[in-house]
Amino acid sequence: MSPSRRTLISTAVAALALSTIATLPALAQGLPKLKVGLMLPYTGTYAALGNAIENGFRLHVAEQGGKLGGREVEYVKVDDESDPSKATDNVNKLVKRDNVDVLIGSVHSGVAMAMAKVAKDTGTVLIVPNAGADAVTGAMCAPNIFRSSFSNWQPGYAMGEVVAKKGHKKVVTITWKYAAGDESVKGFKESFEKGGGTVVKELNLPFPNVEFQALLTEIAAAKPDAVFTFFAGGGAVKFVKDYAAAGLKKTIPLYGSGFLTDGTLEAQGADANGLFTALHYADSLNTPRDNAFRLAYAKTYKLQPDVYAVQGYDAAQMLGIGMAAVKGDISKKAEFSAAVEKAKIDSPRGAFTLSKAHNPVQDFYLRQVGDKENKLVSIASKALADPARGCKM
Ligand code: PHB
């Protein structure tokens, strides 16, 4: 090659490199921040759950350098107080006043159903990082609605199989009277009765009441072989303590969906020891993925993570996968959804995929409380998929 031609080429290459360097920051600056609307409970019986979800979400975003799909993440927060009567107003404020690009929420099933309705009507992407309302990935399912957590049916169904296999025949259930309680019990009953057991009594109290005494007296009188329960957060702490204080722990085994003992063990102390629950997470999975997550979480927040932290972290992972596929342009709804739908999400709980209705297909672990941990006992139900009843998608 002649010297003049070589000079020409190298000058052209240098010019190209220079122009690339020059346009890159300009491009990055050109992308507006991604407005993430966090609608979670920061007060009330589920306050700790809301905080853990936010912590988990922020941890993943921080691990990505504060950006998803090339856009810096900015948060707009609303305390939904786990109050369904305020939920429609709260979510409309986020979508219409604050113009968020995506909705993340919530913990309470009733609140999440109001969010799903607005998401469906406005086309805003919604990722539910906890609330199990079966309808969210059932009758209300939509291309822009995703869940990083579970359906209420799932842990109930997994536990029903375990309790039937343990040989218990007659069970009393006790829970809060709203979607999460009702649907957990329904899932439990479906598999427990298939396994030969009978639910002899279904006890309830309104959410978020914690006056359990009269109901515990009824349990003592009914003398069932076992009790199945759904409670979570502050209510779960009080229920486990009251169950033991009433002397029932020694005579009638208590089983629950795993929320009963997740994020609650410090406060429940010895009263939780030995309890069996089923959930899509445990404290002693001891996989490299979970160990790395637990270390990063503990370092960042000086707290141990729980299932809620994992669900928040995975909501951010799912959003990140969609955002990367559309290169930051979340208005490309079909491409965003397709990417999340086909993803294998590398969760600390174990990798999972989504069902057609956008609910995690995942393993449910049987756990037992010991040393202030939900220790892994076995896999209660492998790759359990919610039946997505009523979803037409
Ligand atoms: C719900 O309302 O769906 C719910 C709340 C707290 C939990 C689990 C489910 O821990």
Side-chain angles (χ1 to χ4, degrees), residues 46 49 106-110 130-133 150 152 176 178-181 184 207 230-233 259-260 307-308:
Y46 288 159
L49 290 60
S106 183
V107 167
H108 184 286
S109 274
N130 182 69
F150 60 93
N152 290 323
W176 279 314
Y178 82 104
S184 300
F207 174 86
F230 164 85
F231 288 110
F259 310 109
L260 186 68
V307 70
Y308 309 104

